[in-house]
Amino acid sequence: YLSAISHIYNSLNSNVTPINIENAMMSNADKYIYFKTDHHWTHLGSYFAYREFCSVSDNMASELDEFEKRTINNYLGSWGKVTVDTDGYNMLDSSRDIIEFYMPKVEFEGQSYSEMEMDKPTKNMQLINPAFGNYAIFLEGDNPLEYYHTNVDNGKSICIIKESFGNAFSTWLLNNYENVYIVDYRIFNNNGENYNTFTVKEFYDMYNFDDLLVLSYPYTIQQEDLRQMLGQTWRSDYVEYSSYSNDKGSDDNDVPLPTLVPDVIDTGLE
């Protein structure tokens, strides 16, 4: 995975800022940055990636002790579901996790939407909802689009294109931006039973955000369907990475080019 990420980073337009979080994660490997029974990183793990993002994006990351920390005990994560009736399940069941999470310091209002025009909210969002009792406490699980308006009052807006690893990560962004748009690329463009379309260009024309962040874990690189879904968010005629031409004369040039934050630690997913 690391060599593939390096290849992609070396192929990027010079205006794109890649963030390799390998060193940040490795230097904190003695901490609780990944669950034992779930393939996701913990909220703490996503915080170290968030700090790296802040270091290159003119943002300041608050120290962890400035946040209210809460805990959910006895958590059996995603690996538990796929190992039922195996010896592995018994091992996981006896090594359950703790979900430690940090509440945002800012006030906010959030809604989820199934279309990028954001005409009809599907529900009000809590950002972090402990009632779920699992990784879905972050963003209340996977939703096509979520929008949060905060009292940060700095006029800054960010759009993050992500999959589920971005759920924990996205919660930190509310501390730095007045407007946060969170898009799950797997649940648009005829994917995830959502037939509504989404492209970054069209969304930017509507909401003129300042920063664009793309976060996707290493498995994306080897899965053709995930590459296709991610590519469709940038251009509707996307077919395959190898056929993509980054035309500097394209009409897409007025869209902020993305900052890329992959989870570069191999999570063991195959």
Side-chain angles (χ1 to χ4, degrees):
Y1 287 129
L2 296 180
S3 61
I5 291 171
S6 295
H7 174 74
I8 292 172
Y9 277 5
N10 291 334
S11 304
L12 293 173
N13 184 296
S14 61
N15 291 321
V16 178
T17 304
I19 305 177
N20 193 325
I21 64 171
E22 177 188 0
N23 290 336
M25 303 304 285
M26 289 297 188
S27 63
N28 289 285
D30 60 330
K31 300 180 177 66
Y32 198 15
I33 61 174
Y34 280 91
F35 292 110
K36 297 173 292 184
T37 69
D38 194 295
H39 68 282
H40 294 103
W41 53 13
T42 63
H43 208 197
L44 178 62
S46 71
Y47 171 77
F48 292 121
Y50 160 73
R51 283 204 317 195
E52 294 300 300
F53 165 74
C54 287
S55 70
V56 301
S57 62
D58 195 29
N59 285 296
M60 180 174 293
S62 298
E63 297 299 321
L64 278 174
D65 59 11
E66 298 179 36
F67 297 92
E68 177 192 354
K69 179 181 175 181
R70 300 183 187 178
T71 301
I72 295 174
N73 295 310
N74 202 36
Y75 172 50
L76 181 62
S78 57
W79 294 129
K81 295 179 182 178
V82 299
T83 57
V84 173
D85 297 326
T86 71
D87 292 338
Y89 177 84
N90 294 329
M91 179 182 67
L92 293 170
D93 190 42
S94 63
S95 304
R96 292 189 174 226
D97 280 295
I98 297 172
I99 304 178
E100 299 174 332
F101 56 99
Y102 301 81
M103 301 303 293
K105 300 192 301 180
V106 300
E107 297 178 5
F108 62 88
E109 293 183 352
Q111 294 82 35
S112 64
Y113 300 85
S114 62
E115 27 75 39
M116 66 177 174
E117 294 80 8
M118 299 201 308
D119 290 330
K120 299 177 180 178
T122 55
K123 61 179 178 178
N124 294 323
M125 305 299 294
Q126 294 188 39
L127 186 72
I128 300 177
N129 187 344
F132 279 78
N134 54 34
Y135 186 77
I137 67 172
F138 305 114
L139 305 187
E140 301 190 34
D142 300 322
N143 295 280
L145 170 62
E146 297 181 34
Y147 166 62
Y148 294 90
H149 179 75
T150 75
N151 67 343
V152 173
D153 196 28
N154 60 6
K156 293 172 56 177
S157 300
I158 187 170
C159 175
I160 175 171
I161 309 295
K162 59 84 185 176
E163 35 67 50
S164 60
F165 271 73
N167 294 11
F169 180 95
S170 296
T171 63
W172 301 106
L173 297 175
L174 272 69
N175 298 290
N176 301 92
Y177 290 87
E178 185 172 340
N179 299 290
V180 179
Y181 305 93
I182 305 169
V183 180
D184 194 319
Y185 66 82
R186 304 165 302 167
I187 322 179
F188 267 113
N189 302 317
N190 298 327
N191 300 305
E193 300 183 357
N194 184 5
Y195 299 100
N196 293 314
T197 61
F198 177 95
T199 66
V200 171
K201 168 64 175 172
E202 291 176 289
F203 196 67
Y204 176 75
D205 287 342
M206 294 176 188
Y207 300 106
N208 201 227
F209 45 83
D210 302 291
D211 296 327
L212 174 64
L213 171 65
V214 178
L215 187 155
S216 199
Y217 71 149
Y219 195 49
T220 308
I221 296 171
Q222 73 177 57
Q223 284 299 107
E224 183 177 354
D225 58 340
L226 293 177
R227 294 198 307 268
Q228 180 75 16
M229 293 175 193
L230 183 57
Q232 287 173 336
T233 66
W234 192 255
R235 47 192 297 167
S236 58
D237 61 347
Y238 178 92
V239 177
E240 184 55 65
Y241 173 79
S242 60
S243 65
Y244 174 76
S245 173
N246 190 1
D247 181 0
K248 294 186 178 181
S250 166
D251 290 340
D252 291 345
N253 273 347
D254 55 350
V255 179
L257 288 169
T259 297
L260 303 179
V261 184
D263 166 26
V264 299
I265 304 301
D266 184 353
T267 61
L269 284 179
E270 300 292 345

